[in-house]
Amino acid sequence: MRKILVLLISVLAALPLVAQPVFTADNLPEIGYEAMFKADTSEEIIVDVGATGGPQTWDFSREVFGESTPFEVLDPEDTPAGVLFPDAEFTYHLAGTLIDTLSGEIWQYYKTTSTEMLMLGDYIESYHPILDSIKITHNYEPDRMNSVFPLQMGAQWQDFFHTVDSLDPTGVFTIETTSSSSSRVDAWGAVITPADSFDEALRYVTYDTTDIIVRIMAVPDTILSRTINYTWVAADVGPVMLITSLEDEINPEFDTASSYRVLTSYEAIAERPEPELAPLLRIAGDQMLFNITQSGNVELNIYDAAGCRRDVLYRGALSAGEHSLPLPSDLPRGVYFIRINTSGGILSGKFVVLD
């Protein structure tokens, strides 16, 4: 059997398909790259994901109705959680609707080797006061991580995460999440979008499974989600088209999707201006230390684990720079969230009162 398999591979390599594109770490968009996607997230979107293989042509230039989603490549030092990922070489930043109706921002931290792109973790800042999260992958290794380069026909990788988060010290309310994905580069060809036409683009398919168990007073409620996702990528541009199936889709050549994101514009910036001041929020003793990047009106709120606002620490104008405020001394035991709304953006953090 082994000899037959080697013979088949040798025959295939002699066919014209050997001219397929191969992307390496050198083909990644560089720091300063910016793009805009148009997102359509209606319940049923008619699409044609096409058959596997290549070459072929996909035309995604149709008009799309929905929100615009910005995407950019940043220097990790210029991001809110960059200090937690000292090995990261670049960060992917997206804003808008992240998962279904969950809106916010996500920063994904990566490093590369000569053959691989490794995701070290991510930071999600949702527009809900209690759903922020930081995921750090320790002891990352190629066989455990999302290793997506080199991208070429047949390349495949897997990803798995398991987290348990308690929203109060007693563990009455916990959320346990198990997510796994399996990806494979399965097709290549030309892709046409409102932004441009890309003659050599690779497509990979990802089978995602997410199992969420919410426990309140030890009573479990299970939420299971399974989807098929397609991403088309082009050299030096990154993703140009993303499609997510309806839940529990089993046909990889489906024609009805739940979300559809297409590249509408992109630009590489030669030199990105350094920010005058990096955002910061941390707790030291009974003091909250923070700085803001722009002068203007500021509002600081504290929420409890249920998402209810417990206190307004400050509401008024502040100058750009470093500031400190005392935390309330009358908060009972529990988990609390700080949210700072400024003209330059939003800062958020979490702290626990033990006694």
Side-chain angles (χ1 to χ4, degrees):
M1 181 64 70
R2 183 181 298 272
K3 291 182 179 179
I4 294 175
L5 179 61
V6 172
L7 176 61
L8 287 174
I9 292 175
S10 299
V11 172
L12 288 175
L15 297 177
L17 292 183
V18 73
Q20 63 188 290
V22 176
F23 299 163
T24 68
D26 292 335
N27 299 119
L28 293 173
E30 297 180 352
I31 291 174
Y33 173 83
E34 292 182 340
M36 188 69 69
F37 288 82
K38 194 72 173 179
D40 190 337
T41 54
S42 58
E43 285 300 318
E44 294 186 357
I45 304 165
I46 304 302
V47 298
D48 181 9
V49 298
T52 59
Q56 54 191 293
T57 299
W58 298 274
D59 187 347
F60 298 118
S61 60
R62 70 176 178 85
E63 186 175 3
V64 182
F65 300 93
E67 68 173 5
S68 294
T69 304
F71 169 83
E72 56 184 344
V73 183
L74 303 175
D75 185 327
E77 294 184 358
D78 299 336
T79 63
V83 68
L84 300 177
F85 302 95
D87 293 338
E89 298 170 2
F90 57 93
T91 303
Y92 284 174
H93 174 229
L94 300 93
T97 301
L98 305 177
I99 305 172
D100 297 329
T101 58
L102 175 61
S103 296
E105 298 182 62
I106 181 170
W107 291 263
Q108 298 173 328
Y109 296 85
Y110 293 93
K111 69 168 293 185
T112 61
T113 68
S114 59
T115 59
E116 291 166 321
M117 172 181 175
L118 307 178
M119 181 174 173
L120 310 186
D122 60 39
Y123 170 62
I124 299 176
E125 182 181 89
S126 73
Y127 297 154
H128 185 289
I130 68 170
L131 294 181
D132 295 353
S133 69
I134 294 178
K135 179 172 64 182
I136 302 176
T137 304
H138 297 281
N139 301 321
Y140 46 84
E141 297 175 3
D143 59 349
R144 296 178 51 201
M145 289 305 304
N146 184 15
S147 305
V148 301
F149 281 90
L151 277 183
Q152 57 187 330
M153 282 291 291
Q156 54 190 328
W157 60 95
Q158 293 184 339
D159 195 6
F160 176 84
F161 287 100
H162 178 260
T163 61
V164 179
D165 189 15
S166 177
L167 296 183
D168 65 272
T170 62
V172 172
F173 184 15
T174 61
I175 299 177
E176 181 177 356
T177 303
T178 301
S179 62
S180 62
S181 66
S182 177
S183 303
R184 183 176 185 271
V185 181
D186 71 333
W188 66 279
V191 175
I192 303 171
T193 77
D196 206 341
S197 177
F198 306 94
D199 293 334
E200 292 188 333
L202 285 165
R203 183 183 82 168
Y204 62 85
V205 56
T206 301
Y207 296 87
D208 282 330
T209 300
T210 302
D211 191 359
I212 301 175
I213 302 176
V214 180
R215 291 186 179 89
I216 303 178
M217 299 295 293
V219 178
D221 184 13
T222 301
I223 304 171
L224 179 63
S225 173
R226 292 174 295 188
T227 58
I228 302 175
N229 302 273
Y230 283 103
T231 303
W232 285 259
V233 296
D236 304 319
V237 178
V240 297
M241 181 64 224
L242 304 95
I243 293 178
T244 300
S245 72
L246 298 172
E247 283 201 22
D248 295 325
E249 178 65 72
I250 60 174
N251 179 13
E253 296 179 8
F254 58 86
D255 60 5
T256 304
S258 65
S259 67
Y260 175 102
R261 295 170 188 252
V262 62
L263 185 71
T264 56
S265 65
Y266 65 100
E267 180 181 6
I269 299 177
E271 186 174 352
R272 191 178 188 87
E274 293 291 335
E276 295 181 2
L277 186 66
L280 170 69
L281 169 62
R282 63 187 179 91
I283 305 297
D286 61 354
Q287 294 287 314
M288 178 182 58
L289 309 177
F290 63 99
N291 60 37
I292 55 178
T293 59
Q294 298 179 16
S295 300
N297 291 326
V298 176
E299 182 174 325
L300 289 79
N301 297 309
I302 290 185
Y303 297 84
D304 60 21
C308 299
R309 187 167 65 181
R310 294 297 302 265
D311 203 347
V312 180
L313 293 185
Y314 184 84
R315 182 183 290 142
L318 284 177
S319 61
E322 299 181 355
H323 301 274
S324 66
L325 285 172
L327 293 172
S329 58
D330 58 348
L331 293 175
R333 289 169 56 95
V335 177
Y336 296 91
F337 300 84
I338 298 173
R339 195 159 186 84
I340 306 177
N341 298 308
T342 77
S343 57
I346 298 174
L347 298 174
S348 63
K350 179 171 68 174
F351 67 96
V352 179
V353 176
L354 298 178
D355 51 28

